[in-house]
Amino acid sequence: EDKVVQSPLSLVVHEGDTVTLNCSYEVTNFRSLLWYKQEKKAPTFLFMLTSSGIEKKSGRLSSILDKKELSSILNITATQTGDSAIYLCAVERNAGNMLTFGGGTRLMVKP
Amino acid sequence: DAGITQSPRHKVTETGTPVTLRCHQTENHRYMYWYRQDPGHGLRLIHYSYGVKDTDKGEVSDGYSVSRSKTEDFLLTLESATSSQTSVYFCAISVSGVGTGELFFGEGSRLTVL
């Protein structure tokens, strides 16, 4: 059974801080790892990391996949109140047809 | 915008009653999913579909059934709702066409079972 564990469970920072969110996984025949951001409603896609693309960056957000340690981090620099959300990590296996999600990290950014 | 509509968006029902949630897509994607979200559990897969009349179970399928008679509609049914099924239900579609990768989610359906 695939397993995804995220840490910390929750985090409170102030605007301008840098945060690092963690995701560790156990999956048979790993294909990719995905990060999502969930504000009030539907999760929205951030990044997908695969064996051929282990680092992604978009503005203040970046993510790295460590295949040896079976983990990934999501970094957010110069945080803003709009970054407040639940961040979800998910993995998929080859020929799997589905994603397995972690429990999420709730980030609150205070002004 | 992947064009996913869930209905109803909110529902309160009583234990033992049947409930059906509907997911409608406008873009003819093959793979559709039903997840539930509960505090501390992230998103857990209930059932998914890879085509008309083709469905499979996820990790928390007990107490749920699904049907897909048309490409655009994926129905989730609770035959006899229980309080443990109080949750937020999300429908999702895979835009890659091969059932993996990036998923687009609907806005969610909040179900309360009293």
Side-chain angles (χ1 to χ4, degrees), chain B residues 6-22:
Chain B
Q6 291 185 228
S7 61
R9 295 290 313 282
H10 300 273
K11 186 173 181 66
V12 179
T13 191
E14 294 188 349
T15 296
T17 60
V19 175
T20 296
L21 305 180
R22 179 181 182 240

Side-chain angles (χ1 to χ4, degrees), chain A residues 42-101:
Chain A
T44 54
F45 173 78
L46 293 175
F47 298 118
M48 182 166 72
L49 302 158
T50 67
S51 297
S52 59
I54 63 172
E55 185 169 358
K56 293 287 179 71
K57 183 176 173 65
S58 176
R60 297 177 295 103
L61 277 66
S62 63
S63 183
I64 298 174
L65 176 68
D66 187 333
K67 293 182 293 178
K68 183 177 179 182
E69 296 296 325
L70 305 184
S71 65
S72 175
I73 59 170
L74 176 67
N75 281 320
I76 308 175
T77 60
T79 52
Q80 302 171 357
T81 55
D83 295 324
S84 296
I86 297 173
Y87 289 85
L88 297 164
C89 172
V91 296
E92 64 172 342
R93 55 169 72 179
N94 278 314
N97 297 330
M98 66 183 75
L99 298 181
T100 300
F101 283 83

Side-chain angles (χ1 to χ4, degrees), chain A residues 3-14:
Chain A
K3 187 177 179 182
V4 180
V5 178
Q6 293 186 244
S7 62
L9 291 179
S10 65
L11 193 56
V12 180
V13 300
H14 288 91

